[in-house]
Amino acid sequence: GLGKKSAIKSLVNAPMIAMLLDHMNYLFYDNVTFLNYVGRIAFPIFAWQIAVGFEKTRDAKLYAFRLLILALISQPLFILYFGELLNGYVFNTIFTLLLGLLCLFAINKSDKIGLGVTIVSCIVAQYLHFDYGAFGIIMIVIFYLFRKNYGLMMVAQAINLISYNFMHPNSIEMYSFVAILLILL
C-alpha cells in the first residue's frame, strides 16, 4: 500500500495537476468539461495546506510574505490568461489563500479578533472579487478550526459548499467535495 509519505506527496501534487488540467480546459475549450470537474479538487486541497502549513511552520510571517510575493507575481499572468473569462474576479486564488492565512493569524491571537478579521476578510474577498470569495476564506478557516475533528470538518465544509451552491446555482464547485474526502483519507 501507499506509505504515509507517499500519500502526503500525492496530496501535495494532486492540486497542482488538477489546477493545470482545469486551466488547460480554458485554453482549449469554451465551455465546462470534465477537466473543470477535476480542477475543483485543487482549491480545497490548497486551502487545507494553508491551514496545516500555518500550524506547522516555524515562521508564519515568512510563510505569509512568500504567499504575498507569489500572489503579486502571478496576478499579471492571471489577468493575462483569464482576462475575458474572469467574470468580474479581480484577484487570483493566491490572494484568497493569503487572506485566509491572515484570518488564521487573528484566530490564533483570540477568538473575538479572529471572528472580526474573518468577517472583514469575507467582505473584502467578496467586494474586491477575490477568486473563490468569502467561500474560500471560510473554507480555510474551517480546515484550521476543525483540523483535529474530521467529522465536524466534513459537516462544516459540506454546509459551506451547499451554501455556495445555493448562492451560485448550477455551480460546479460541489465537485470540490471530492477533495475534502481525499483530505479525510
Side-chain angles (χ1 to χ4, degrees):
L2 282 177
K4 186 175 180 180
K5 285 184 181 182
S6 210
I8 290 171
K9 188 174 181 180
S10 296
L11 199 53
V12 168
N13 293 331
M16 291 184 286
I17 293 166
M19 184 177 64
L20 176 65
L21 292 172
D22 184 57
H23 292 179
M24 285 174 48
N25 181 72
Y26 290 117
L27 184 63
F28 297 115
Y29 303 104
D30 289 342
N31 56 356
V32 174
T33 71
F34 175 74
L35 296 176
N36 293 118
Y37 298 120
V38 171
R40 295 310 98 204
I41 72 164
F43 184 79
I45 295 174
F46 285 137
W48 175 75
Q49 290 171 337
I50 289 293
V52 171
F54 176 73
E55 183 178 34
K56 295 189 183 273
T57 188
R58 291 184 195 149
D59 190 344
K61 290 178 184 175
L62 182 59
Y63 186 39
F65 180 72
R66 287 178 178 160
L67 269 178
L68 175 63
I69 296 301
L70 183 59
L72 291 171
I73 290 170
S74 60
Q75 184 63 24
L77 301 172
F78 177 75
I79 291 172
L80 181 66
Y81 187 74
F82 289 110
E84 62 188 45
L85 298 171
L86 288 176
N87 295 327
Y89 288 101
V90 177
F91 291 97
N92 70 55
T93 305
I94 302 166
F95 281 105
T96 307
L97 296 173
L98 176 61
L99 198 54
L101 179 62
L102 296 178
C103 291
L104 303 187
F105 274 102
I107 290 166
N108 216 28
K109 293 237 182 258
S110 89
D111 290 342
K112 287 181 183 178
I113 292 171
L115 178 61
V117 169
T118 300
I119 290 169
V120 169
S121 295
C122 287
I123 292 168
V124 166
Q126 285 298 121
Y127 182 73
L128 295 180
H129 302 284
F130 281 49
D131 208 6
Y132 290 95
F135 161 74
I137 302 297
I138 292 167
M139 184 175 278
I140 294 165
V141 170
I142 288 171
F143 278 130
Y144 182 72
L145 291 177
F146 299 115
R147 66 193 179 278
K148 294 182 179 163
N149 187 331
Y150 287 153
L152 284 176
M153 177 195 299
M154 190 171 185
V155 169
Q157 292 297 12
I159 292 168
N160 189 30
L161 283 166
I162 290 167
S163 300
Y164 182 86
N165 199 54
F166 181 74
M167 292 184 297
H168 302 91
N170 302 319
S171 168
I172 63 172
E173 286 309 319
M174 285 305 287
Y175 290 93
S176 66
F177 198 74
V178 171
I180 294 164
L181 295 174
L182 290 173
I183 290 166
L184 293 177
L185 295 175

